[in-house]
Amino acid sequence: MTTTPLQRALRKAPDRAIAGQARPEQEFFCFRAGELRLGVPSENVLEVIRTGLLTPLPRTPSFLLGVTGHRGEVLPVMDLLRFLGKGESRVGPRTRLFIGTSGNYRVGVVADAVLGLRRVPLADILPPPLGGDAAAEHLLGVADGTTPQDAVAFLNFAKLLQSARQRAVVR
């Protein structure tokens, strides 16, 4: 029995399931905060909402802008720029909050713009820069874009939220 070139090629080609595992990917929710392009693992994001009424709280760290009501819950609202020491967010009519979660904790995080979901091969995520500032401790890594302005810094959201809670409780 003779085999055709197509049959020979199909036998040599990797199985689709194996090929899909060859380059594992992770999905990130990407957004802009100030001039920073950031991403968090998509499993840490429940939804994106418009910024509603914020109620400031006395004696809280500056990165906690206050609380807001959402679906029957009172959520703290966090300014990542202040938390990371990169400036401060300006909350306006176009500002969005993404509802981030880690374990039992939920928080609204200020986002100036939502950039969308991005699937990134794990091999393409570069390690955080050495000798970086305090914000570098919360980074998973960085992915290059087509231009330097398209690069995205990926945050370890669980660690970031844990650190924010510790800083808020110490006060």
Side-chain angles (χ1 to χ4, degrees), residues 18-78:
I18 294 170
Q21 295 172 356
R23 282 189 54 110
E25 297 179 325
Q26 185 167 0
E27 186 176 68
F28 291 91
F29 169 77
C30 297
F31 62 99
R32 193 173 48 74
E35 297 300 315
L36 301 178
R37 294 170 63 90
L38 302 169
V40 297
S42 61
E43 63 263 16
N44 292 116
V45 178
L46 297 177
E47 65 183 301
V48 178
I49 62 172
R50 291 180 186 203
T51 305
L53 180 65
L54 290 177
T55 304
L57 296 175
R59 293 190 211 150
T60 57
S62 64
F63 65 85
L64 286 177
L65 300 179
V67 294
T68 190
H70 177 66
R71 297 185 191 261
E73 282 187 273
V74 176
L75 299 174
V77 176
M78 181 177 179

